[in-house]
Structure formats: structure tokens, C-alpha cells
Amino acid sequence: MTNFLSLADVTSIDALIQSGLAAKANPFADQVLGKNKTIGLIFFNSSLRTRLSTQKAAQNLGMNVMTMNVGQDSWGLEMEEGVLMNGDKAEHVREAAAVMGRYCDIIGIRAFAELKDRDKDYREQVMHQFATYAGVPIVNLESATRHPLQSLADCITIEEAKRTDRPKVVLTWLPHFKPLPQAVANSFCEWMNARAQAGKIEFVVTHPAGYELAPEFVGNAHVTHNQSEAFAGADFIYGKNWSSYTHYGQVLTQDPSWAVTMDDMNLTNNGKFMHCLPVRRNLKVSDAVLDSPQSLVIEQAANREWSAQAVLKEILKNG
Ligand code: SN0
């Protein structure tokens, strides 16, 4: 593996899951692999789990870690080519990425969707510019359209908690007053569709009308606007809010009936509840669900360390 930008960079999800579980059982087995190597973690947006778990994973592998918040710690970065730089951005990504690539062996980048211009967001300009100019492997720490480290942690969590060979996994939209990116939902669909295709799970997506995700991410998933129908017999409920893709970046409804409560969970096959966090309690999910033994959210977040470690190990092995 060179870059880890999306599922397209992965040869085998199963091998990455097993590598993550091996790291969980024996975190320091590969300390030599990262010795005297440096990872730079670059954040254009807020982070709790991604920042700490990726840092921890790198340290487990013996790496040195540098983190930076763009625009706060550093200069604002211009991403467009050929522009007159007379605005608020003092440095171009051409220089910034090239320089960071000289200090780092791997660079991780978080850059959310701006949710204004769909084509611009879905072009993944920030990831592509860094991949073009850094000259070192790039790891996606949540981009405009994807969050693959989260999806790998989700695969690991499902693998650990499943009680049947082919569990029913449901992605459900949750209400929120703010427009949030589609990245987590997109990536979850991308990875779960691959798992479904391999016969490992059954995958269902449920959301209100108007919240259809991009066709390239929905793929062959079964989609329904009836949340109760989706929850029936489910083994895993994966909650997430996202803003509209078709009415790009808009909040079309805040219908509280889409929030997950114990009544909803009682429709499932004693199913587990998952969420990538941060989660707004009682807006998206009730206290009762989050505090019940059915909630996997803390274990899921813990698995972010092992998903990051599996990916960094794969990149370090390559070079
Ligand atoms: C981000 C998102 O992509 O939805 C990060 C998730 C890992 N979530 C938020 O921005 C939540 C913000 C909020 O105010 O609830």
C-alpha cells in the first residue's frame, strides 16, 4: 500500500482486519518497523479520536509524530493552481506539501467537505494536491467524501461483535440541525458493499426522502425510507447524520422520529448500536441506547487505534 485514500487502495479488507486484531492483541510487536520514521498529522478541521488514535498507532509502531492545525499553527494554504495569491492564504500547497514531505515519511490529512460546491468537494482537491506534491504516502484522516480509517475500525468492530456468519447491518440517517458531511456514510457504504459482495454481511440503508447518497457509494445496497422495516431483525444499527447530496449541503428535515431510541432498538435482533462519534445525545440517539449494553460506540472508537496501526504498518512495510 502506498497511499490510503479510499477502499481502492486496499488489496484485502480481511487481511487489514486481521492485522488490526493482531495489533490489538500485541500492540508493540512491530516497533522496529517505524523506528526513526516520522508521521505528520495535518488538520484542517477538529478531531478527537482520529488525532489521538493515529498518533498512538504510530507510536506503537515506533514512529515519531508531529501534528499541525492548518490556519491556526501554520499559514492558510491555497489549493487552486495558477491563482493570484492576494487573499487571506499566504502559502501554496505546492510548497507546503513538498516541504512537509521532506520532514515526514508519511503524511495524514483531515480536510472536511465545505458543503457549498458539490463538484469541488467530490473532486477531493486537498487529498489530490497533497498526494501530487508531498512525494510521500498520504493517509486520509477524513476527506470531503470519505473516512476510510473509520470504516476499517467499523469492520473490525463488526467482526469482533457478530454472532452470526452473515449479520444484517443497517446504516440509518439521524436528525441534526447542522449540515454534516456525507463522508462517514459514504465510506461506510463503500466498505459494507464490499463486505456484502464477499457474502460477509447483508447491508441495508435507511434515510428520509431527499437524503439519497451519491450512486457510486450506495452501489447495490438495499435502500428504504421506512426505518422500522430496516431495523427489523438487524444485528447492527449504524447511526449517522449527513446533509443532502442531491440538495447539496442542505438540511431538509430534522424529524425527531428518526433519532434512535430503545423502542427502535427493540425492533432489532438484540442488535448492537454503532456511531463514529461525536454524537449529540438525545438529538440523534437517546441516553438509554448509548448507555445500554447494546452500544458499541466506545469499543468502536477504541478500534480506531488498531485500524490506524494496520494501515500504517502496511505503508511502512512497503517502503
Ligand atoms: C464530522 C462528520 O463528518 O460528520 C466528523 C465525524 C467523525 N462530525 C461533525 O462534524 C459533528 C459536528 C456536530 O456539531 O455535531
Side-chain angles (χ1 to χ4, degrees):
M1 189 188 292
T2 314
N3 295 319
F4 182 72
L5 299 179
S6 77
L7 184 60
D9 295 313
V10 173
T11 319
S12 162
I13 297 179
D14 278 317
L16 275 183
I17 293 173
Q18 290 314 317
S19 172
L21 290 171
K24 189 171 188 172
N26 195 359
F28 311 116
D30 297 300
Q31 282 260 319
V32 179
L33 208 52
K35 191 170 157 49
N36 295 330
K37 303 263 182 180
T38 298
I39 186 168
L41 303 176
I42 315 293
F43 292 90
F44 288 81
N45 312 95
S46 305
S47 173
L48 187 152
R49 278 147 293 278
T50 300
R51 183 169 178 145
L52 298 180
S53 65
T54 311
Q55 180 160 350
K56 185 85 184 306
Q59 288 167 349
N60 292 346
L61 289 163
M63 299 186 82
N64 300 311
V65 185
M66 303 193 289
T67 56
M68 196 169 67
N69 303 317
V70 175
Q72 297 170 35
D73 305 343
S74 77
W75 308 105
L77 293 187
E78 179 60 57
M79 295 292 160
E80 297 293 337
E81 302 289 355
V83 290
L84 173 66
M85 286 174 58
N86 61 355
D88 57 352
K89 309 225 170 85
E91 181 152 17
H92 200 277
V93 66
R94 280 184 177 241
E95 284 78 42
V99 169
M100 289 180 207
R102 299 293 285 269
Y103 305 147
C104 302
D105 301 281
I106 301 175
I107 296 177
I109 300 158
R110 162 159 291 192
F112 288 174
E114 289 172 354
L115 297 175
K116 291 183 197 118
D117 178 339
R118 186 170 90 177
D119 289 340
K120 183 164 184 260
D121 284 343
Y122 275 69
R123 239 182 281 134
E124 289 286 12
Q125 186 185 43
V126 179
M127 290 295 139
H128 285 138
Q129 292 293 62
F130 271 91
T132 304
Y133 297 121
V136 296
I138 302 297
V139 175
N140 183 341
L141 304 177
E142 187 173 338
S143 67
T145 69
R146 290 176 170 91
H147 194 0
L149 281 177
Q150 180 66 53
S151 306
L152 176 56
D154 300 336
C155 288
I156 293 172
T157 307
I158 290 169
E159 192 60 28
E160 285 182 315
K162 71 180 186 188
R163 291 159 306 185
T164 57
D165 281 348
R166 195 168 163 272
K168 178 176 175 182
V169 178
V170 177
L171 169 64
T172 182
W173 181 90
L174 305 175
H176 202 315
F177 57 89
K178 263 173 62 178
L180 297 191
Q182 293 106 33
V184 171
N186 282 346
S187 257
F188 191 70
C189 286
E190 190 163 56
W191 288 63
M192 288 303 128
N193 278 327
R195 299 303 278 164
Q197 189 144 22
K200 310 266 185 197
I201 63 160
E202 177 193 347
F203 185 47
V204 177
V205 181
T206 183
H207 55 68
Y211 281 93
E212 290 72 21
L213 292 163
E216 66 262 34
F217 290 104
V218 180
N220 294 325
H222 175 65
V223 180
T224 169
H225 294 162
N226 184 336
Q227 194 187 39
S228 303
E229 175 202 309
F231 275 41
D235 297 292
F236 294 92
I237 300 297
Y238 193 99
K240 182 70 186 86
N241 168 269
W242 61 88
S243 59
S244 176
Y245 172 77
T246 45
H247 298 75
Y248 194 63
Q250 289 183 29
V251 173
L252 306 176
T253 176
Q254 298 178 42
D255 181 356
S257 74
W258 279 83
V260 175
T261 64
M262 265 307 180
D263 284 344
D264 300 315
M265 291 306 291
N266 288 337
L267 301 171
T268 69
N269 176 27
N270 194 24
K272 301 290 188 190
F273 180 80
M274 297 175 69
H275 189 286
C276 65
L277 305 181
V279 69
R280 289 175 181 255
R281 283 175 169 257
N282 303 312
L283 180 71
K284 294 160 131 185
V285 192
S286 71
D287 282 339
V289 172
L290 285 168
D291 298 333
S292 78
Q294 279 165 270
S295 171
L296 288 180
V297 299
I298 304 300
E299 198 56 32
Q300 186 184 353
N303 283 335
R304 292 294 309 277
E305 183 175 347
W306 317 119
S307 97
Q309 194 161 331
V311 166
L312 295 180
K313 181 178 168 180
E314 209 49 37
I315 294 172
L316 288 169
K317 272 191 346 202
N318 196 43

